[in-house]
């Protein structure tokens, strides 16, 4: 009898622990697309937000634009058509992740409104949550930050087709959130996105 009692206690404890782990693992997926100019702060905010969400128990993936270019969109250039194709590929992967319970954070420029609209439509058709955040840092600030040296190369004539300088960037007219990162810290920016998600029942 004692052995059975011990076994039952162990089973109950294991079941309770397993249940707790399930409750702590939030499975509501969503795509958070952070659009904005080069060096606007999109990726930095995305990684800060990822930390907040993971601390809450969410499954999170950051779809870094440079990594996508290397592994999924290798061979694509920077023509309007190729940029559109790149964004659609990223949108497909993001929606797939989000549909399966992952918070997909996408810090990718996506300069054209029709490309972004197509991604949103894909999410809507699949009933998948989609949030658009415009990191609206002015080009003057971005060019000073110049994280990857792109603005300096453009100014020196070593690079053309830089979004927001000599290639178009169509600002979102009605984003779910607009962030002016030059007026707040990365932590504050990430917190504002987290608050938006919480208000939508996604965080």
């Amino acid at each position: 009898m004692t052995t059975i009692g011990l076994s039952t206690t162990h089973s109950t404890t294991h079941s309770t622990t397993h249940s707790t782990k399930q409750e702590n693992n939030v499975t509501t997926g969503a795509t958070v697309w952070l659009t904005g100019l080069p060096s606007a702060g999109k990726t930095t905010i995305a990684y800060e937000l990822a930390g907040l969400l993971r601390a809450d128990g969410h499954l999170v993936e950051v779809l870094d634009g440079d990594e996508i270019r290397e592994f999924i969109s290798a061979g694509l250039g920077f023509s309007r058509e190729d940029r559109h194709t790149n964004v659609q590929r990223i949108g497909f992967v993001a929606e797939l992740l989000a549909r399966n319970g992952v918070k997909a954070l996408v810090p990718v420029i996506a300069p054209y409104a029709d490309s972004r609209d197509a991604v949103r439509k894909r999410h809507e058709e699949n009933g998948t949550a989609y949030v658009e955040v415009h990191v609206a840092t002015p080009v003057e600030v971005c060019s000073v930050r110049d994280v990857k040296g792109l603005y300096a190369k453009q100014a020196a004539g070593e690079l053309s087709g830089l979004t927001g300088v000599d290639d178009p960037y169509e600002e979102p007219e009605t984003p779910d959130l607009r962030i002016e990162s030059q007026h707040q810290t990365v932590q504050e920016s990430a917190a504002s996105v987290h608050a938006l998600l919480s208000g939508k029942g996604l965080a």
Side-chain angles (χ1 to χ4, degrees):
M1 292 293 291
T2 304
T3 304
I4 293 174
L6 285 171
S7 177
T8 302
T9 303
H10 175 73
S11 176
T12 302
T13 303
H14 177 76
S15 176
T16 303
T17 303
H18 182 66
S19 175
T20 302
K21 285 182 178 179
Q22 283 186 324
E23 289 171 3
N24 288 342
N25 184 25
V26 184
T27 57
T28 303
T31 292
V32 181
W33 198 295
L34 298 98
T35 176
L37 297 174
S39 294
K42 303 180 298 298
T43 302
T44 307
I45 294 169
Y47 278 107
E48 184 70 22
L49 175 61
L52 296 177
L53 291 170
R54 288 189 180 114
D56 291 340
H58 296 268
L59 298 172
V60 184
E61 288 292 341
V62 178
L63 300 183
D64 183 272
D66 291 338
E67 292 179 355
I68 296 290
R69 278 277 179 181
E70 181 178 356
F71 296 107
I72 296 179
S73 294
L76 290 181
F78 292 90
S79 65
R80 184 180 182 111
E81 182 180 357
D82 281 0
R83 288 177 191 265
H84 178 78
T85 298
N86 182 52
V87 168
Q88 298 318 298
R89 289 178 182 178
I90 298 171
F92 173 81
V93 173
E95 196 280 324
L96 188 64
L97 288 169
R99 193 195 317 167
N100 285 280
V102 177
K103 293 293 188 300
L105 311 184
V106 188
V108 172
I109 297 171
Y112 301 116
D114 59 348
S115 297
R116 298 192 299 267
D117 290 345
V119 171
R120 182 185 290 275
K121 184 178 179 181
R122 171 182 290 280
H123 283 70
E124 290 174 348
E125 289 173 348
N126 287 290
T128 306
Y130 180 83
V131 175
E132 182 178 77
V133 177
H134 180 202
V135 185
T137 312
V139 66
E140 296 79 13
V141 176
C142 294
S143 62
V144 172
R145 291 179 180 173
D146 204 8
V147 178
K148 299 176 184 176
L150 300 177
Y151 292 94
K153 288 181 179 178
Q154 193 279 334
E158 300 171 6
L159 180 150
S160 61
L162 181 59
T163 300
V165 179
D166 57 356
D167 210 64
Y169 176 70
E170 299 170 2
E171 292 192 3
E173 294 182 2
T174 55
D176 296 286
L177 177 67
R178 180 172 281 107
I179 292 173
E180 295 184 353
S181 71
Q182 72 277 19
H183 296 316
Q184 58 190 35
T185 65
V186 172
Q187 290 75 21
E188 289 170 336
S189 295
S192 65
V193 183
H194 190 272
L196 173 69
L197 294 175
S198 295
K200 292 177 174 291
L202 298 171

